[in-house]
Amino acid sequence: MSDLLEVRNLKKYFPIKGGFFRHTVGHLKAVDDVSFSIPKGHTFGLVGESGCGKSTLGRAILRLHEPTGGEIHLDGTDISRLNSRELVAHRREMQIIFQDPYASLSPRRTVMQTLLEPMEIHGIGNPASRKEKVLELLDIVGMRPNVLHRYPHEFSGGQRQRIGIARALTLDPKFIVADEAVSALDVSVQSQVLNLIARLQRELGISFLFISHDLAVVQHISHEIGVMYLGKLVEVASSTDLYRKPLHPYTKALLSAIPVPDPDSKTRRTILQGDVPSPLNPPSGCPFRTRCPEAMDICARSMPALKTVGEGNNGLPHQVACHLY
Amino acid sequence: MTQPLLSVKDLVIEFSTQRGIVRAIDGVSFDIMPGETLGLVGESGCGKSVTSLAILGLIPSPPGRIISGSIRLDGRELVGLPESEYRHIRGKEISMIFQEPMTALNPVFTIATQMTDVIMRHQGMTRKQARERAIEMLSLVGIPSPGKRIDEYPHQMSGGMRQRVMIAMALSCNPKLLLADEPTTALDVTTQAQVLEQMVKLQDEFDTSVVLVTHDLGVVAQTCSRAVVMYAGRVAEQAPIHPLFNHPQHPYTEGLLKSIPRIREQKLDELPTIPGTVPDLLHLPSGCRFVDRCYRADDACHQREPDLQWHNDQAVACFHPVGEAS
Amino acid sequence: MNTLTDDIPGKKESESLWGKAWYKFRRDRIGMVSLGVVIFFMIIALGVWAGLWGQNWSGIEGPMWAPPSAEHWAGTNIIGQDIFERAIYSTKTAFEVGMVVAILSTILGGLLGALAGYFTNTWVDELILWLMGVLDSIPFYLFVAAIAYSLQGYAYSMHVAMIATFWTTTARLVRGEVIKLKNFEFVEAARAIGLPQRLIIFRHITPNTFHILLVQATIVFVGAIKSEVILSFLGLGVVDGVSWGLMIAESTQEVQAGHYSNFITASVFLFILVMAFNMFSDSLQDALDPKKVSA
Amino acid sequence: MEMLQYALRKFITGIPLIIGVTLISFLLMVYFGPDKTYELVGKNPTPEQIQEVRHQLGYDQPFVTRYLEYLKELVTFDFGYSDSTGERVNSILARTVPISLALIIPGFVLGNLLGIALALIAAYHRGRWWDKFIMGGSVVGMSVSFLIVIIAFQVIFSSNDGLGWFPVRGWNVYDFWDYLRYVTVPTLATVFVALGYNTRFYRAVIVEEMGRDHVRTAKAFGTPPGELLFKHILKNAMIPIITRIMFSIPLVVISGSLLLESYFGIPGVGLVTYDAITTGDQPILKAVVGITAVLFVVVLILNDIFYKLVDPRVSLK
Amino acid sequence: TDGPDTTGMKIYRHSLNGSPSSLDPAQSATLYANHVVVNVYDTLYAYKYLARPYQIKPNLAVALPEVSDDGLTYTIRIKQGVEFIDDPAFPDGKGREVTAADFVYSLKRHFDPKTRSQGSWFWAGRIKGMDAWKKAGSDYDKDVEGLKALDRYTIQIILNKPFPQLIHTLTQGYAAIVPREAVEYYGREFSVHPVGSGPFKLQRFDSVGVVLVRNPNYRKEPIDLAFEGYDEAIHGKYGIKEIDGKIPPLVDRLEIHFIKQSLSRWNSFTKGDEIQYAGIPKELLDDVLAQKQPEIILKPEYAKKYFMTSGYENGFVHTDFNMRDPEIGYNDDPQREKMNHALRCAIRYAYNWDDRNKKFYNEMGFIFPGIIPPVVPEYDPDASRETLRHDPEKARQLLQQAGWTADKLPTLTYGGVASVDSRQMFEQFRGWLMKIGYPREKVVFDSYASFGDFNRAVKKAKIKIVGMGWGLDYPDAENTLQLFYGPNGSPGSNNANFDDPEYNRLYEKTSVMQQSPERTRLYRRMNQIVLDSCVTISGLSRQQIFLWHKDVVSFPDQSIVGGFHLKFVDVKEAQK
Ligand SMILES: Nc1ncnc2c1ncn2[C@@H]1O[C@H](COP(=O)(O)OP(=O)(O)OP(=O)(O)O)[C@@H](O)[C@H]1O
Ligand SMILES: Nc1ncnc2c1ncn2[C@@H]1O[C@H](COP(=O)(O)OP(=O)(O)OP(=O)(O)O)[C@@H](O)[C@H]1O
Ligand SMILES: [Mg+2]
Ligand SMILES: [Mg+2]
Ligand code: NI
């Protein structure tokens, strides 16, 4: 199975301004040396706490943020080296679905305008064929054609999210970043949208980077899952492995913290102490050591590298960055 | 049988909006026993917050208005209570924690000012005593070095800490009832677990009744003893936690429970869903509010609204509860 | 397997935000009455413009300071011109000043505000902010006077000066709104599909500031009319024709001598229009408030 | 110390603003402003005489030289002599600015205080009768022209045709009682007009603040209405209020109130400025514009520092 | 209250409708400036307080000048022992004696560019050697042949050609005597720090007024009312007699308030003692006066409280055509020049003097043909009034005959300083022109926000029609006739840019003549030339009414020089 997307040592640092002349006095390492790959037709789930750099990673891959360093290979092309004109051409191949169903659609544009725009920009087809494509997309996301001339505010959150998905599909991308695409939805609608995404992926063979803070959601939809903590990937494994045999103490804590909708569930909960450290001055060594129940001396001194510790049931390697292993 | 601490009966609340009169709460009833934790669940917009605000007498008016019904605290009627008297109940007998830890605290005053104001007002302490009490409360909710942090401003704290401050503040006057409106929704799972645990612990300690408003059934399962499931301004089902999760009777509860994504050994190809969306309160279907999305609906459901029917300690508003032959 | 529906709740009223705003506005009684008054004035102005009435504002028709009569409804002024006729003609002047200043300063403010907001933290923003700061700190009268001199005899010098000073407020508002909007995900979505910046700004962002622009335009309109009165009083105002400001300036000496007609007529016209416009502007603001629209 | 450093940095970044204001104003003055020459030549001048006067005024110098000279004057705070009276510009300002301040401050303070008070009342009774009444009044206040108010008030309060309580005009102030007699009518007029705008603005700010979550929290903890309004809401609303007040200060200090001064015959800086504008008295204009620009920058800094005092979230960085 | 320590003082509160900008005598171009300058400085000569027509009397001079037979050499002796006020400008702070050299210095100042003199035109080209002195760099230590101090108290002036009006110029504020020490000590600020030897000294000066206080060292010269021209029939009712023999100045403190708004001024006047002197606002004339013609009479309620005098101004208002503009004045094409002449005359017929007089001058102005106003002896009461006739029919006829049609008519720019009055005057003017078929769009108001800008446009001959007023510097028609003398064209005082060879020749001839019937004949001939050429629509002398409180002993005059009467003003009661 070939990898559609390969991310190598991706970094995204935001400059911190300060001092008398408001020059850059330091960097906020939102994404720090992250590598992973996604095979064609696979979904890679990304979980982690708020502010750990998930969105930044997703956006850096699409070059909506300019990466500070690293390589991004999409279907053989190094996205990170394209100039702006080439980039526009490659935007067809990668798209994004956003979290906020209210903020992600242009409020003063009709569904029709929103869906036609990407094709117009890229000069795909003629007006008639574009229209046809729009209708086809609406059908795929399960909406009737009579919505075409309505404005976003006339739809419910779930419906908007579908329009957002349809927009991402207009250019027939190979790769889509879904950044918390279902987090803002009510549970009953959330599952509808999750089903839709899963179906699209199966039918169209698109690769997804599925970002969420909800492990349960990610586990359901992903083939492989990466756990992020303070800008770094701390564990990568196939979704079944990660749930069955979490290795990193953070992953364990994360899993046990998920409230299970079953009053009889008897899982032992690991309650983490303390708060997420500020990414502005991360702790030395392993970033998790300040909250880690199993921290050792070495953790303060060196940052453990992400290393493969075994192979899961479906041939995917299980990687973890922890001194315990 | 013990008297309920709080008893809500046939509450009806309307909002007048530009588009017309919205009946946000339409005949809601439930009781809370002393020391009990009651979950109030339902999807966005079903009226959870409005209900809890109504208990505190904080429905923004205009546009909101309590049309009818009663809310009794220890037998005392709260609906129609004048502001001047209500003020003495708020914070003292009933406290509230709000969802947004970022905005619920006043950004321009220190934690100390905000907490001591409340304590002084309701406990008649001097500022010094109140401050001591506040520090004690902060340490109870697990804030490290509370003596120092009490003089910080809200923005200097993380979301989880702020929420804990809110809890400390809410419990500082030993209220009989604590209303928690989605207290952890805005927090990360790990923080959420911390805060919830803290809350449960303190509740035991202070023997406070809690109404926990949430849309997360997982949270309910782990913290509540009983739950009320609301749908579009009405109570759909009300039951102790075990029967509710194991034998839901309302098709909505059932659908809700099924569609929650949970970590499963065996991955499902497709998550079960409830088709459709929550109806707009201005354009409710005739009959049962859930009728358009219900797989068990028949003509009767289209014609009449079902009332809440009690079976032992479980109540359901459905003509064809799950488990009955349809 | 597709169990999705697309029932749109509450779509009866109207399709667009503007439609909704209009729907809301229609129910606002004060708003409708004030709009009526504004339209009434506008018709007067159009009539003058089309030559239907108010044409004889400069002719010397009657005696000095004639009292109101059937012939001269509001009497005559010192040189025997018909005051009512002049007040009517001034309505046109007021609308001309108001319209020109409101439209142009709104366009300018909207444009520069959007650019500044979109390009925050770049030199574009710095430059525009600098310009706004500079224009705001030059004393208004110096500005107007200087421009009035520089465009000596040019009928629109007052307009130019007002536009140059009034646009900054609009621009600041728009800039703030654009800063807010550009962090919305739909902007990022537009970037993700490869939309050029120009289109992002003018197709996706600026349309969302139209409500601010509209309200701001009405505020500037009122501001322009009121400034005209003071400028005309100082001799920096309308060059040709007559305006309420000029009439009031003429009348300031007369009032204490008991010739109130000029003063009252011009003041009443001015007051009613400004008042109606203020109320209209308020109602419009309510109707267009996005928070309230989406309720 | 942090404050001082901040102020210094802010001031340095304010320099482009000062340069911009002075450059543009000076350009306007030099190329578009009135020509003082023709005020100074006699009734029957010869071309040579006109040339002489231009030379005396420095009009024959290149623009750059004149502008640099201006900057030097600004830095040394010495603006030379008025082209009209020949008096030192500094002594003119020292004489007139205090009078303008004495004239304006009561109205300014009262207008803002009353505005806030009325706004609080209106916001507290939002949507009810009081609110409608106050807001109606403020629309009326906003709709009347200042000019008309001044004329009307002078007739009503001062002239013998009206009540005749106050002097018609002048500024013969030697003690506090004189001051009250002369300042009352101008103050009433100012307050009348300012109140409309202020009340409206402050009400909007307060209403916005009332809708915030923390206000609801305070209510939920039984905060009495007075404390809610004056402690919780007002302190939070201070930022826009301070901004509004601060930014009107430079204009008040330096531009005075032209209309009031000319109508009430008060020898303030507004009149001096206006005369300088219309007669092209460049030394005075240079001083006024320069000082206004500097004041603006100072206000900008002070404003940020006040923010910091009011709102702990604001950092000066 | 009037400030600290005014109790026991005699205070007179005068008012003016405008303000001076400079108190430097060399810049005392306005009436307002003269009000102050002649009261803080001394001039060699002055006009008698009460005698009308004006008569010159010696002031600082001992007697009238001795003039040589050829009219070129003037010898003037000045009083001894007169001292400047004490001032830090003097080495020991004590005022020193005024000498002949001070006068020489004061006049030379006008020819020093640094002085920015506005009055040098009086003497330019007339004093022997002055131009050369200026060319050589205005060095005060160098002598001027025609202007010398023969000794400490004797001045000698030598002219290039006779200048009969010279003595009049020496009464002006321009000719006031300033000490060199003060000029040099105060530099540019001399204009706000007057140091003179006049009856008063300055205490305060700002844009709303001046405060002068008595100069205690002013020379003690008792008033001789008979010499000043007292006439019981005219002055008796004002109680002036009682000042006879007293020593001026008669008040301790003289306040002059500058109040531009006439109603404000009136309200202040009627209020009580805010000010004690004012005019009547034109809007209120009917309320205040019982009768306007032939004699002006106050209504009893005002007559009870106030004294009043009236008289025609020493000057007149007129409207000039700019002859340098080819569309209305001289033109290379003789045919067009003829048409322009017809056009100007037609406009003059359209002009309605009575209407203007009624609406802007209270029907009290004096309308006369031409440019010799009634206050000068050369005025001709029997001149034809044809050129004053309002006849729209005739105007239309003239236009038609000359071949003018509505679309051919040039656009007329009517210049003025932006003020309500000038605008209304313009609108009235346009109204008249519209009545003779002039399209409204073709009559344009060219408004200027300041006098300086308006003056620039006038001096650059940019405006077609200019409404002007001229205040006589001295009562001699020469002062108005020079307004149409060709070489005085813009930027000089000849705003019409009239340039007629015969007129110019006659002007040059009369300018050196002493008053005589022959000169009067020639003056009238020049007047006729101006009228025939239709270069100006002229003129009207305004009626002036002065009112003052009855507790003030005064006979106000502000027609010539301005303010010279103030040292004779007395008040009955001191401040309590
Ligand atoms: N444009 C930016 N400039 C500076 N810092 C930024 C920027 N965008 C993000 N950051 C910082 O980078 C870090 C990672 O942010 P990011 O939005 O990627 O987190 P996230 O994991 O997506 O969080 P969430 O779950 O809240 O969406 C945060 O600390 C954030 O403050
Ligand atoms: N201020 C208000 N004005 C108008 N309608 C309101 C107002 N507050 C609440 N409502 C109406 O009441 C209904 C219930 O709102 P409520 O806030 O109780 O929902 P909720 O269950 O708390 O939802 P969420 O999970 O989103 O907080 C909403 O549908 C809304 O239309
Ligand atoms: Mg994110
Ligand atoms: Mg809620
Ligand atoms: Ni069970």
Side-chain angles (χ1 to χ4, degrees), chain E residues 117-163:
Chain E
S117 162
Q118 303 185 23
S120 61
W121 67 283
F122 275 158
W123 304 292
R126 284 176 164 141
I127 295 176
K128 203 166 184 182
M130 189 62 99
D131 289 349
W133 178 81
K134 180 179 177 182
K135 270 219 187 71
S138 310
D139 181 351
Y140 292 105
D141 296 331
K142 289 207 181 108
D143 283 343
V144 174
E145 193 194 338
L147 182 63
K148 271 193 264 198
L150 296 181
D151 60 40
R152 197 167 164 83
Y153 306 109
T154 312
I155 301 159
Q156 186 192 56
I157 301 173
I158 305 172
L159 299 172
N160 290 324
K161 59 182 177 182
F163 178 30

Side-chain angles (χ1 to χ4, degrees), chain D residues 32-47:
Chain D
F32 305 121
D35 192 337
K36 190 81 196 165
T37 320
Y38 291 88
E39 301 244 355
L40 295 181
V41 295
K43 289 201 241 184
N44 192 6
T46 59

Side-chain angles (χ1 to χ4, degrees), chain E residues 33-49:
Chain E
N34 270 302
H35 266 85
V36 182
V37 167
V38 300
N39 282 302
V40 295
Y41 290 103
D42 258 328
T43 48
L44 294 179
Y45 297 97
Y47 293 104
K48 288 185 181 168
Y49 181 24

Side-chain angles (χ1 to χ4, degrees), chain C residues 139-188:
Chain C
F140 181 62
Y141 294 116
L142 169 68
F143 207 77
V144 179
I147 295 198
Y149 290 116
S150 67
L151 304 172
Q152 197 85 67
Y154 173 60
Y156 290 101
S157 51
M158 173 177 68
H159 304 60
V160 172
M162 284 197 209
I163 292 166
T165 41
F166 287 175
W167 70 269
T168 56
T169 316
T170 310
R172 281 185 207 283
L173 287 174
V174 170
R175 178 175 175 271
E177 185 72 9
V178 168
I179 289 177
K180 206 171 84 198
L181 283 169
K182 78 168 181 178
N183 289 319
F184 273 43
E185 287 169 342
F186 69 85
V187 174
E188 198 131 14

